[in-house]
Amino acid sequence: IGAADAVSTVGPRLAEALRTHHRLAECPVVIRSIPDRIALEPRSAAWPLRLLYHGHVVHHRGLEALIDSMRFWTVPHHLTIRGDGDPGYVATLQQRAAALGAAAHISFEPAVAPDDVVPRAAVGADVGVFCPPLDTPQRQFTLPNKLFEYIGAGLAVLVSPGADLHALVEAHGVGVVAVDAGPDAVAAAVNALDPAKVERFRAAAREAAHVLCWEAERKAFDDLHDRLAIMA
């Protein structure tokens, strides 16, 4: 890595960690994984809310804790888990929901085409959820494309307190940050939502979508490309 003409990564805290760990002369360029902007039509959120997790349905995404949190929700919101995963693992999540008496309030849906991810979220959900466990340094630095997809869809968001997750949600005022990734903390964050807060977060997300989009983010990519072209 030290011999590279340029280094890039997907989040600011990870960039700082890479610079420190590898003793790089300069901080890596941050190019976040952000989708194209879509046109958003203002609409009121449902109540009870429609919560959405979309992405790969795999271990270490906090899905067990999210399902476990449902027994503590004070309002019977609905959760959709949309994405593909190993059928056996998906079955264990379905069994978990059934054992907790939450099966009527959770839907499992297959993944949609990449171009449909953000538009589908925009019309079918109110709050995007991503509460992975933060038990490794890599997970502490997580800043996944799904967060930007949720914001690009005009959704309020609920996340666990990863360094960059927390910073971005707080900076743009688009949602709530759970104290940790456990079921109790996730439930407390869900229960802290009310219609007025959700509408405020969603309005902030629609505003943030103008800057947290590839049309804006690509400048960092273009600048890096130009720099490398000159060096070549």
Side-chain angles (χ1 to χ4, degrees):
I1 191 171
D5 291 322
V7 179
S8 69
T9 190
V10 296
R13 302 299 176 88
L14 183 54
E16 294 169 7
L18 287 172
R19 180 178 186 177
T20 299
H21 183 75
H22 294 287
R23 300 179 182 179
L24 301 177
E26 60 182 35
C27 202
V29 176
V30 175
I31 304 173
R32 297 169 297 182
S33 183
I34 298 182
D36 292 330
R37 186 159 64 93
I38 67 167
L40 291 173
E41 295 293 333
R43 60 171 181 81
S44 297
W47 192 267
L49 295 165
R50 299 169 300 170
L51 283 78
L52 170 69
Y53 166 88
H54 71 211
H56 295 300
V57 181
V58 293
H59 291 286
H60 309 304
R61 295 295 179 94
L63 296 175
E64 291 87 353
L66 178 58
I67 292 171
D68 290 350
S69 78
M70 296 177 71
R71 59 185 161 171
F72 304 121
W73 294 1
T74 55
V75 175
H77 304 301
H78 191 87
L79 171 65
T80 295
I81 295 177
R82 178 178 297 141
D84 295 332
D86 176 78
Y89 176 63
V90 174
T92 66
L93 295 180
Q94 293 170 329
Q95 293 163 7
R96 194 182 198 102
L100 294 171
H105 298 286
I106 184 168
S107 301
F108 291 84
E109 299 181 0
V112 298
D115 288 345
D116 292 334
V117 168
V118 177
R120 184 77 167 270
V123 300
D126 307 302
V127 180
V129 183
F130 183 58
C131 293
L134 304 174
D135 51 353
T136 68
Q138 180 177 354
R139 294 186 187 123
Q140 287 283 345
F141 296 135
T142 187
L143 192 61
N145 57 346
K146 65 172 53 50
L147 176 62
F148 299 105
E149 290 165 349
Y150 293 154
I151 294 171
L155 306 186
V157 300
L158 191 167
V159 299
S160 52
D164 283 333
L165 288 171
H166 189 289
L168 189 138
V169 170
E170 291 290 314
H172 292 277
V174 294
V176 292
V177 180
V179 173
D180 57 54
D184 291 347
V186 174
V190 171
N191 292 337
L193 297 172
D194 59 44
K197 285 182 181 178
V198 172
E199 293 298 349
R200 186 170 69 250
F201 294 147
R202 283 161 47 81
R206 290 194 297 271
E207 185 66 25
H210 290 276
V211 293
L212 297 177
C213 60
W214 182 244
E215 290 84 347
E217 192 72 8
R218 70 171 298 151
K219 184 179 185 306
F221 175 82
D222 291 340
D223 289 347
L224 179 59
H225 182 271
D226 292 344
R227 171 183 163 192
L228 292 173
I230 292 171
M231 295 175 67

